[in-house]
Amino acid sequence: MGDSNTGPSTAKHLSERIELAQNVSRVLLINPPIYDIRIPWARFIQPIRLLWLSTYFQNASADVRIIDAVALADSKPLRKVLARTIDVDTHTVNVWRFGMSLPAIEKALRAFLRAQWQPDIIYVECATTFWWEGAKEVIATAKGIFPDSRICLIGAYAELAPEHARSQTLADVVGALDWSELALLTPNLAHYSTKPDSIYLALHDGQRAAAEILEEMSRLRTDYNVQSFAFLDHGVTSDHRESYCELLEQIASQGIRVRLSALGTIPLRDFANHPELATLMKQAGYAQVCFADDRGAPVGADADEALIGHAALAAKACERAGFRIRTDAVTASLCLGRPGESLEARGKVATKLVHHLGSLIFWPYQPSPRDLPKISLEDQNGKLFPFRHLNKCSFTDYLSILGLASVLNAKYRTETFDFLGNGLISRLFRDSIGRQAWIRPKISREP
């Protein structure tokens, strides 16, 4: 994500390093509501770092409570209400508030107060810079009810826009925690009545032994009946392939029955260069592979051709391993909205990726706050494509290419259609597009 960039090196722009609170008896963790135009993968949003914190403080004998304002319950869609509308070029775009209502959050906090339970410290995590409004409102509400509690704001917003966070929120501390040790902990799910679809695991830069991760998976399966897992580590098959493969081999050899998903963490080139990975992942229980997008690659024709070549080889590896192409089992990803890109080129790459891998997700490029200092933080939302004017495009142009993805991903009897295939329908379709056959010819009215 673009949010992984660091800001200017002046002290006032740097987030404070937060030391974990010691000798506290009561800890409250809050995952705030979200302000956004849409949340396409709501079921995969998970406050994994708060869950690690919960385990840490529970191990330290503290009484831990959590309010997850965007937790899903009983397969119901995430609650949303219209927050405002904004003008984006010629479009009026709805900004929604997703999650628990503010009265519901206040009610939950006051219930703690009535029970004479007041937290010594409150951690609020805001995972994305342009979601800051949700963090602001829960901090203000918590500060009003628990004025003596110390509130720490953590997450990408606190780390990448600390000056903004200090001016806009009532947090006592704005900064970053050291997650190197916390990431070794098993997340605490005891506060959830409805467990998340998948639980995230961390190899911690390949430092964790396979036996340690297998033990963590066993605890989660036994204590919470979790059967689905995904790994947080980006490039795990690139930088830590040896330890990752060792883990998968043990899962397969021990016959551990789990459902694994790769959610945008594995580059296409890794399957292309190491096709045996696909077979090993299938044997270990992978049911879904959503490949990483190309946001880290240069913008241009050479990088596009390399990506398409990797997709062709990755598709062959997936098919040999038993993953069904053109189903939800395999999905390509493509970054959209980077400065300097050509939408025509993106459309061509998208179509070729779908030809090889069957389906595609466009991932909007999220800039760092320092990239767009003159644009308000909420308007830096990647889904608004804030670099569109630099690319000499309109918001309508970007909506059109998103529409292309909808067409490419459309399924008939659970499978997508290959628009670049050799079949008759594919050839007729391409011929129709080439002739612009959908345009009504002009009829001469001359006698």
Side-chain angles (χ1 to χ4, degrees), residues 3 5-8 12-15 128-130 132 153 155-169 174-175 368-370 377 380:
D3 273 356
N5 298 331
T6 56
K12 69 177 182 177
H13 288 89
L14 293 177
S15 59
T128 301
T129 53
F130 58 86
W132 68 273
L153 176 62
Y157 172 44
E159 294 176 18
L160 298 175
E163 189 174 7
H164 184 281
R166 293 185 187 109
S167 66
Q168 294 295 325
T169 77
V174 173
S368 170
R370 69 174 182 177
L377 208 56
Q380 293 180 18

Side-chain angles (χ1 to χ4, degrees), residues 287-289 322-332 357-360 409 411 413-416:
Q288 184 179 28
V289 179
F323 292 101
R324 287 182 59 200
I325 302 296
R326 321 206 78 70
T327 71
D328 291 336
V330 181
T331 306
L357 292 167
S359 59
L360 171 84
N409 288 329
K411 289 185 174 65
R413 293 184 177 177
T414 74
E415 294 192 9
T416 59

Side-chain angles (χ1 to χ4, degrees), residues 109-281:
L109 293 171
R110 292 198 178 280
F112 294 148
L113 187 64
R114 286 196 301 273
Q116 297 184 338
W117 189 90
Q118 177 163 326
D120 301 307
I121 191 165
I122 301 172
Y123 290 93
V124 177
E125 181 180 17
C126 185
T128 301
T129 53
F130 58 86
W131 288 351
W132 68 273
E133 293 164 286
K136 176 181 179 177
E137 68 178 32
V138 297
I139 290 173
T141 303
K143 179 63 74 173
I145 297 173
F146 300 117
D148 297 327
S149 298
R150 187 167 181 256
I151 300 181
C152 296
L153 176 62
I154 60 175
Y157 172 44
E159 294 176 18
L160 298 175
E163 189 174 7
H164 184 281
R166 293 185 187 109
S167 66
Q168 294 295 325
T169 77
L170 298 177
D172 299 294
V173 182
V174 173
L177 290 167
D178 181 0
W179 298 103
S180 58
E181 297 298 325
L182 291 170
L184 306 180
L185 300 174
T186 300
N188 179 14
L189 304 179
H191 303 282
Y192 287 90
S193 57
T194 301
K195 301 300 182 291
D197 279 11
S198 294
I199 290 297
Y200 297 121
L201 302 173
L203 273 71
H204 193 38
D205 295 331
Q207 297 180 29
R208 300 184 70 188
E212 183 181 352
I213 297 175
L214 288 175
E215 182 182 352
E216 179 178 4
M217 294 172 70
S218 177
R219 287 200 298 270
L220 288 166
R221 294 170 70 207
T222 301
D223 295 346
Y224 306 114
N225 194 32
V226 173
Q227 304 297 329
S228 298
F229 300 92
F231 290 97
L232 282 172
D233 314 69
H234 281 271
V236 66
T237 51
S238 306
D239 302 327
H240 313 294
R241 186 168 56 254
E242 184 175 339
S243 57
Y244 176 67
C245 289
E246 180 186 354
L247 171 63
L248 297 187
E249 287 167 358
Q250 291 200 28
I251 292 174
S253 64
Q254 295 181 29
I256 300 173
R257 298 180 63 84
V258 291
R259 186 184 190 277
L260 300 173
S261 299
L263 304 177
T265 57
I266 297 177
L268 280 167
R269 66 176 179 272
D270 288 354
F271 267 38
N273 296 332
H274 304 278
E276 70 280 1
L277 273 172
T279 300
L280 179 56
M281 289 171 63

Side-chain angles (χ1 to χ4, degrees), residues 268 300-316 325-326 330-334 343-362 401 404-405 408-409 416-421 430:
L268 280 167
D302 291 343
D304 289 348
E305 288 303 314
L307 185 69
I308 294 166
H310 290 151
L313 295 173
K316 292 178 181 178
I325 302 296
R326 321 206 78 70
V330 181
T331 306
S333 294
L334 196 62
L343 283 193
E344 180 181 1
R346 291 280 86 179
K348 290 179 179 178
V349 174
T351 305
K352 292 179 180 180
L353 289 179
V354 171
H355 168 58
H356 293 301
L357 292 167
S359 59
L360 171 84
I361 295 176
F362 272 122
I401 199 168
L404 170 66
L408 295 174
N409 288 329
T416 59
F417 178 74
D418 184 4
F419 290 93
L420 297 183
R430 292 198 299 273

Side-chain angles (χ1 to χ4, degrees), residues 20-41:
L20 280 170
Q22 302 294 323
N23 302 318
V24 294
S25 59
R26 295 172 177 175
V27 179
L28 177 60
L29 310 173
I30 303 179
N31 189 30
I34 292 170
Y35 285 76
D36 207 334
I37 62 176
R38 65 180 184 276
I39 304 181
W41 281 31

